[in-house]
Amino acid sequence: MKQLKNILYRAFPALGILLALLVQNTVPDSTLHPAATRPYYNFLLLILLTVAILTFVLSFFIPRLRDSLTQKGPFLVGSGVLVTILNLITAKFALLPVIFFPSYDNILAIFVEQTPLLGKCVWYSFRLLILGVFWGVTTGFITGVCLGFSKHVYYWINPYIKLIGPIPATAWIPLVLTTFPTPFGASVFIIALAVWFPVQLMTSSGIQNTSRVYFEVGRTLGAGTFFQVFRIAVPAALPNIFQGMFNGICSAFIALMTAEMFGAKYGIGWYISYQKAMMLYSGVYAGLILIAVYCTVIITALFKVRAKVLNWQKGLIKW
């Protein structure tokens, strides 16, 4: 009985997709929605159905895949039901304003018909984000080490950081745009500023909370300042540093989207702002999907690195 139940759970993803296909092809779209050039939603469902069936078959031979599919099956069928309900509310019955809630076909058409523009926007945002995060993490790490290890630096600098740091990075946009010669440089600075504060705060806190015994033992064994900083203080503060980087990257996404909406020529934030101004909300939703995928991939990569570096803390913080 339990085995039969597990098999049903593994079949749930395919059943959810079949339900979505059934509703999509038996219930006609509302005439209020503009017709898409091609049935993109059907194409996507057929691809997902093929993957779901293949995964179901492979689950009989791969134990790890079987366990994962058994656990996630109910959630995946629930997601299929939710997507189907939203399809009924929007495309099929037009219960919500058509201009603000386009059909799935029209949203997916954006990814196919505007691929070059979307690719250019993703690359522009990626370049901005990488540069901003690099400078934010670098300056935040250096500032945090200095504040955490040196009482004199902490005495003179920390009051200014307490004053400036809590101000949202996006609040500086009007001033920064008039100060920097290019919108690109201004956007990099805003993102770096958003990352800098949480990284330096968590780095300095991690170093300050490191047991003094470690430093005393190091000095007793003849360790110099460099050794104490980079072989004692920084390794001990790594959990805090990664937490600061996680918070900083989340803030960086907010700063990135806001900065692009104000002064950039391309980028995902610019694209969403442009589509909204043109009242093309299918493009707005396409941009939001891109942001969701973009953020998920980058943060997942960060946690993968964290799991490798801090293997002894595995499972403490999950994503």
Side-chain angles (χ1 to χ4, degrees), residues 114-129 177 182-188 191 255-275 287 290-291 294:
Q114 298 187 21
T115 300
L117 178 59
L118 289 175
K120 192 172 185 177
C121 289
V122 169
W123 166 246
Y124 192 95
S125 294
F126 179 76
R127 187 174 55 160
L128 270 179
L129 186 69
L177 287 175
T182 62
F184 183 85
S187 299
V188 170
I191 296 168
L256 172 67
M257 295 301 120
T258 308
E260 287 181 341
M261 288 179 182
F262 275 91
K265 293 182 180 179
Y266 292 102
I268 303 175
W270 168 86
Y271 180 82
I272 292 174
S273 181
Y274 172 74
Q275 294 292 311
L290 275 179
I291 292 174
Y294 193 60

Side-chain angles (χ1 to χ4, degrees), residues 8-32:
L8 180 62
Y9 279 2
R10 300 204 299 273
F12 271 168
L15 294 176
I17 297 169
L18 284 172
L19 174 65
L21 268 170
L22 180 65
V23 171
Q24 176 66 11
N25 291 281
T26 56
V27 182
D29 288 350
S30 170
T31 55
L32 297 176

Side-chain angles (χ1 to χ4, degrees), residues 201-212 233 236-238 240-241:
L201 178 64
M202 296 308 298
T203 302
S204 61
S205 298
I207 293 175
Q208 289 173 344
N209 290 329
T210 302
S211 175
R212 298 293 101 185
L238 273 178
N240 295 69
I241 294 173

Side-chain angles (χ1 to χ4, degrees), residues 2-3 30 45 70 92 95 104 135 141 145 153 156 162 177-178 207 211-212 218-219 231 242 254 286 303 305 311:
K2 183 179 180 181
Q3 186 177 3
S30 170
L45 289 176
T70 302
K92 302 304 181 181
L95 300 179
Y104 291 154
W135 288 112
F141 176 76
V145 169
V153 175
W156 288 105
K162 286 183 177 179
L177 287 175
T178 58
I207 293 175
S211 175
R212 298 293 101 185
R219 282 193 294 268
R231 298 299 297 273
F242 273 101
I254 299 173
F303 270 80
V305 173
N311 189 49

Side-chain angles (χ1 to χ4, degrees), residues 31 42 54 81 88 93 113 123 133 146 159 166 172 198 206 217 233 248 266 276-277 295 299 316:
T31 55
N42 266 334
L54 181 61
V81 172
L88 289 169
F93 302 136
E113 297 168 5
W123 166 246
V133 169
C146 293
W172 296 93
V217 171
Y266 292 102
K276 178 180 178 296
C295 297
I299 293 177
L316 185 62

Side-chain angles (χ1 to χ4, degrees), residues 57-195:
V57 173
L58 290 176
S59 68
F60 286 93
F61 306 99
I62 305 175
R64 186 175 179 182
L65 180 61
R66 180 171 60 245
D67 295 339
S68 177
L69 201 57
T70 302
Q71 180 186 6
K72 297 178 181 178
F75 172 78
L76 293 174
V77 74
S79 299
V81 172
L82 177 61
V83 168
T84 302
I85 292 173
L86 291 175
N87 191 24
L88 289 169
I89 292 173
T90 55
K92 302 304 181 181
F93 302 136
L95 300 179
L96 298 172
V98 171
I99 191 171
F100 300 120
F101 298 93
S103 66
Y104 291 154
D105 278 333
N106 288 322
I107 295 173
L108 293 171
I110 298 295
F111 291 102
V112 178
E113 297 168 5
Q114 298 187 21
T115 300
L117 178 59
L118 289 175
K120 192 172 185 177
C121 289
V122 169
W123 166 246
Y124 192 95
S125 294
F126 179 76
R127 187 174 55 160
L128 270 179
L129 186 69
I130 289 299
L131 287 173
V133 169
F134 171 77
W135 288 112
V137 170
T138 301
T139 55
F141 176 76
I142 294 173
T143 308
V145 169
C146 293
L147 287 169
F149 195 77
S150 174
K151 293 182 180 179
H152 297 291
V153 175
Y154 184 87
Y155 175 82
W156 288 105
I157 303 298
N158 193 57
Y160 297 106
I161 292 179
K162 286 183 177 179
L163 182 65
I164 298 174
I167 300 175
T170 52
W172 296 93
I173 287 178
L175 179 62
V176 171
L177 287 175
T178 58
T179 304
F180 279 75
T182 62
F184 183 85
S187 299
V188 170
F189 178 81
I190 290 296
I191 296 168
L193 186 61
V195 177

